[in-house]
Every structure is written in C-alpha cells, then in structure tokens.
Amino acid sequence: MVKATFHILGSSKPLSGNIEVYGAKNDILKGLASVLLTSGDITYKNIPKIEDVDRTIELLGSLGVLTKEKGARSLVLNAARINGHTLKRDIAEQIRASIVLAGPLLARSGKVRFPYPGGCVLGKRPIDLFVHGWRAMGARMRMIGDEYEFSAKHLHGADITFYKVSVTGTEAMMLTAVLAHGTTILRNSALEPEIPHLAEFLNSLGARITGAGTPTISIEGTGGKLLSGAGTFVTLPDRIEAGSFAALVAARGGKVKIINCDPEQLAVPIEILREIGAVVTVGKDFIIVERKVKLKSIDMIKTREYPGFPTDLQAPFTVLLTQAHGASLVFETIFEGRLSYIDDLNRMGAYITACDPHRILVSGPTELHGRLMESPDIRAGLAFIIAAAIAKGQSILDGVYKIDRGYEDIEKRLRSIGVDIERKKS
Ligand code: UD1
C-alpha cells in the first residue's frame, strides 16, 4: 500500500468522451472464493487491479492455492491441494468479503478459523446470519480468543431462512452448501446480479444450484466431492462504478459514453437520473449520460436490496442532488452508519440536513468549494472525488488507498473525460 493523495481541481467545464467500466469487486471476490470448492484449473477474466483482489489472492495463496498463470487482467488458480484452515488475520481483518472464503473452507476441510472480518465501516456489520447458517448445517462454533472457529465432520443440507436480506450471507451459504451432504434451501435470499452469476459459474463446474436470482435458492450438495474440471469466471462489469460515473457526468454537465457496463443492472439509478433531468441513452453494453437542462430535485431516493437503488450509489447520488433545484430526501435503509460523510460535503458548501440516522435532506443547488478531505470508505471516497470535480478550486483527498480497494486507476479514467485529477505520493 503506497500512501497517496488525490489533487483535484474542480470546474464547471463540461465532460466529454468515453469512460470504461472495469470488473466488479463484489463479483470477483466471490468468484475467487469459489476456487476452494474445486480441484481443476480455474481461469479468471476481466479482473480489476484493486487492493481487495490482491489481498484475497494472497489469502488464498496462504492456504496453498496455486497461481498458475498471470495475465494483464486474467489469472489461473488451482486449489487441488490446500494446506490450512485459518484465514490470515492481518488480511482477513481488512476485507469484509474474506468471510465468503470461510464457508468453502469449512465445507472442504471440516474446519475454519477466522477473525472478525473487516472492510468499510458502514455501521455494525454483524455476522449473525453466517453463524446461524453454518450452525444449521451442523457446524460447531467456538471462540479462540477473539477468533471464530467452526468445525464439522460433515456439513448437512439445511432449510435456512435469512431474517434479513444479505448479499454476502446468501453467497456464503450458497458456497458452503455446494459440498454439503443433502439439499440446502435458502429463503429470503439476496437478488443482486452477482448471485446468479456465481451460481451459473458453479453449475458450469458441476454444482447443482437452482433459483439463484430469486428469493429461494436450492443447492443439492455433492457430499464432500470437490467440483472438478476447468472453469472460467468472467467478472461482471461494476454497476456501482458505472452508476458513479453517471452521477458525475450529470452533476458536472457534458456528454459521456460509459462503456462496458450492463444497463439492465442500472435500471433504477438510470430512472432516477432521468427523473432529475439528465438525458440517458441506453445501449446493449453502454449508456450515454448528458445534461442539457437544469437538474431538479426528487421526492426521495431510498436505498434497497437489488433491484432497488443500491446503497453503494447513495453517496455519489447525494453529491449529485446538491446540484439539483429544490429539496430531495435520501433514505438509507441498508446500513445505519453510512451518512456521516455529509459533514464534509457541508464543509464544502452543500446544504444537507440530517433528519435521523437514516435520512438526510439535500437542498440545492449549492456551490461547492474545494477542501482537504479524507476518504471514509470506498464508495463515499468516489463521491468525494465527484464533489471535488464539480467544486470551485482545489481539493486534496487523503486516504486514497480506501478508493484503490475498489476502483482501479480511477484517476486515469476520470482524466480521460476531462476531470483534472492527479495522484501524488505522500
Ligand atoms: C455487500 C457488498 C457491499 C454492499 C452491500 C449491500 C460485497 C463484498 N459487499 O456487503 O458493497 O454495500 O452488500 O448491497 O459484496 N447483516 C446482518 N447480519 C449479517 C450480515 C448482514 O445484520 O450476518 C446486515 C448488515 O449489517 C446490513 C444488511 O444486513 O445492514 C445488508 O448487508 P449485506 O447485504 O450483508 O452487506 P454485505 O454483503 O456485507
């Protein structure tokens, strides 16, 4: 991790050109975890070069997973032999998605030990759904100091109802159930596109998963037999990155083609952009965002599980709403600690009032002014870049590594459409 800052000179000059969307962090991390269920060579494509991917590969390497080939955006991994059941503390503590490695490891080795998973601080982020799921499948839990250990000679299928919809919870239980004995039913599952994608990939290797992408998923376990044969995982384009770029263009003005994305996965954010006055043209794998008229406020943006408005786009769209005429309500329903970044936006000149821990009122339009800021997490970090790009004067953004965890070469791509942003080592 190289310490760096972003220096961003804001402007109202219209943006133009094409910007490419890279592979999604939230997709590739689960694809990488699934190698632990396999014995053949698994090829990964469209991999984003980001911190969380590097650390996950390091974590897999420490368990004995071999990296057989490495290309620019591709990788071949082989997990025919693994030699441990402990997730390295220093890495697992940094990445929330490290917990999706735990299920496959438990299913395969009969034991797994891991620390409380880290990641962005978005509120409490408990792991009770995982604990409940593994216990329902027959695992015993014990604490060793502050680390979790789960063990089970044979995991058995179970009928598991999530009391709350969870993306990684659904993925973790789906991955665990692939090697279990018997059938597992997951009810009230998350519907995010990464879930059916993961299921399709696992099925291509011989898993038997049906219903992924609906609330009820059924997994017929292999009874401990590893999935064999070679497989290829092509990382989905990052819908959050695409949506953030769209918010930037609408906020600053201009016309930009956002390429290599899946517009279908962005249906609700696109509708919101249109509602507030942006013109969005949708192609097969691109969207063109253009702002011709003044932006207007919107009654409410409410974050919801997919296909609703994603919580990961909440901060970028809040920045956008600071440029809309009128008052807009933003209602964050997924996480309780995800609005604290508004203090920084207010210091830049925004007029955002917190109604309660979940709701804010954004009054606009307001002129933002460049400042010195620190990125609080991956998604709000990108929102700060958007704010800085439309502000008057220069902003310096610290904590760039938090943005690097999720977005590759963000400054290069933003420069190509006209944002004045530079990375400086600090
Ligand atoms: C994933 C995404 C993250 C996104 C989030 C919501 C990854 C790596 N990260 O995170 O970018 O913001 O979905 O779309 O895919 N919860 C519990 N108990 C649990 C697990 C979760 O109460 O055991 C709660 C969480 O605190 C939160 C809600 O469930 O309030 C949904 O969180 P969840 O879907 O699990 O988020 P992640 O999968 O961690």
Side-chain angles (χ1 to χ4, degrees):
M1 182 178 80
V2 182
K3 279 199 102 187
T5 51
F6 279 145
H7 290 231
I8 304 157
L9 191 58
S11 157
S12 55
K13 208 169 143 216
L15 301 172
S16 63
N18 293 351
I19 189 162
E20 193 181 346
V21 175
Y22 290 162
K25 168 182 89 71
N26 287 355
D27 192 48
I28 182 66
L29 294 184
K30 329 307 170 46
L32 289 170
S34 47
V35 77
L36 292 169
L37 302 173
T38 70
S39 59
D41 285 352
I42 306 296
T43 304
Y44 294 91
K45 292 187 173 166
N46 195 31
I47 306 180
K49 292 181 207 148
I50 54 174
E51 281 284 321
D52 275 22
V53 166
D54 290 346
R55 296 290 81 76
T56 302
I57 293 167
E58 206 178 318
L59 211 45
L60 289 169
S62 73
L63 294 167
V65 176
L66 297 178
T67 301
K68 295 187 71 176
E69 276 170 49
K70 208 167 183 278
R73 288 194 179 282
S74 64
L75 192 67
V76 179
L77 295 183
N78 185 289
R81 277 187 209 91
I82 59 165
N83 51 25
H85 65 267
T86 303
L87 298 184
K88 273 179 84 181
R89 187 180 180 110
D90 55 331
I91 306 176
E93 272 181 341
Q94 290 171 34
I95 310 170
R96 169 80 183 177
S98 62
I99 197 165
V100 287
L101 267 60
L105 210 49
L106 170 64
R108 178 171 176 159
S109 315
K111 202 181 250 190
V112 64
R113 180 173 164 171
F114 59 90
Y116 198 85
C120 292
V121 182
L122 307 174
K124 288 199 285 287
R125 304 196 89 174
I127 62 164
D128 54 324
L129 295 171
F130 301 76
V131 172
H132 172 77
W134 289 323
R135 279 183 157 161
M137 294 175 82
R140 281 182 316 277
M141 182 185 107
R142 70 177 179 132
M143 299 298 297
I144 304 174
D146 60 354
E147 298 204 342
Y148 293 79
E149 188 187 80
F150 286 85
S151 53
K153 213 165 186 178
H154 293 305
L155 286 174
H156 56 75
D159 194 323
I160 299 168
T161 299
F162 298 108
Y163 77 89
K164 200 188 250 187
V165 179
S166 163
V167 179
T168 42
T170 302
E171 291 160 335
M173 289 313 131
M174 194 166 87
L175 287 164
T176 309
V178 166
L179 299 189
H181 295 251
T183 302
T184 298
I185 311 279
L186 305 177
R187 302 181 197 272
N188 196 25
S189 303
L191 310 180
E192 268 65 5
E194 298 81 37
I195 296 168
H197 184 234
L198 183 62
E200 271 164 38
F201 167 65
L202 294 167
N203 284 346
S204 76
L205 295 167
R208 278 165 297 191
I209 305 171
T210 52
T214 76
T216 308
I217 303 178
S218 169
I219 306 115
E220 230 181 284
T222 63
K225 197 167 162 280
L226 290 180
L227 305 178
S228 56
T232 302
F233 184 94
V234 184
T235 315
L236 293 177
D238 192 334
R239 60 198 164 91
I240 305 304
E241 195 173 89
S244 304
F245 293 158
L248 164 66
V249 180
R252 167 116 157 216
K255 182 177 179 182
V256 170
K257 186 172 181 182
I258 300 167
I259 54 177
N260 288 348
C261 62
D262 183 344
E264 212 180 301
Q265 295 175 359
L266 285 162
V268 173
I270 288 173
E271 237 12 75
I272 287 175
L273 287 167
R274 287 177 175 150
E275 196 59 35
I276 65 178
V279 177
V280 186
T281 312
V282 171
K284 188 168 167 284
D285 60 355
F286 66 85
I287 58 174
I288 299 171
V289 182
E290 191 176 2
R291 198 188 83 196
K292 288 178 176 163
V293 294
K294 282 198 278 190
L295 298 176
K296 58 180 196 294
S297 59
I298 188 163
D299 283 358
M300 178 163 70
I301 292 185
K302 184 175 179 179
T303 65
R304 265 205 45 204
E305 296 86 5
Y306 189 84
F309 184 83
T311 172
D312 287 349
L313 282 179
Q314 180 255 108
F317 272 64
T318 295
V319 174
L320 170 60
L321 292 175
T322 66
Q323 304 309 300
H325 289 249
S328 310
L329 188 71
V330 177
F331 189 177
E332 169 58 57
T333 72
I334 310 287
F335 293 108
E336 76 276 16
R338 210 168 198 184
L339 294 167
S340 50
Y341 68 89
I342 64 166
D343 294 340
D344 275 295
L345 291 185
N346 282 340
R347 282 184 210 111
M348 293 179 83
Y351 187 29
I352 307 173
T353 320
C355 311
D356 59 43
H358 285 276
R359 289 179 302 167
I360 52 175
L361 195 66
V362 188
S363 303
T366 45
E367 189 175 77
L368 304 184
H369 299 273
R371 295 192 77 247
L372 175 64
M373 291 178 287
E374 162 112 28
S375 170
D377 63 68
I378 303 176
R379 315 301 180 185
L382 189 46
F384 282 179
I385 293 182
I386 298 172
I390 60 174
K392 263 201 162 158
Q394 197 193 44
S395 295
I396 298 178
L397 186 56
D398 216 344
V400 161
Y401 72 93
K402 289 188 187 149
I403 300 171
D404 291 339
R405 279 190 49 210
Y407 301 110
E408 174 188 337
D409 278 346
I410 197 74
E411 71 277 22
K412 280 192 199 145
R413 287 184 287 157
L414 293 177
R415 264 204 305 274
S416 74
I417 56 168
V419 178
D420 189 338
I421 175 170
E422 214 185 314
R423 179 186 292 259
K424 292 197 175 159
K425 285 196 183 127
S426 53

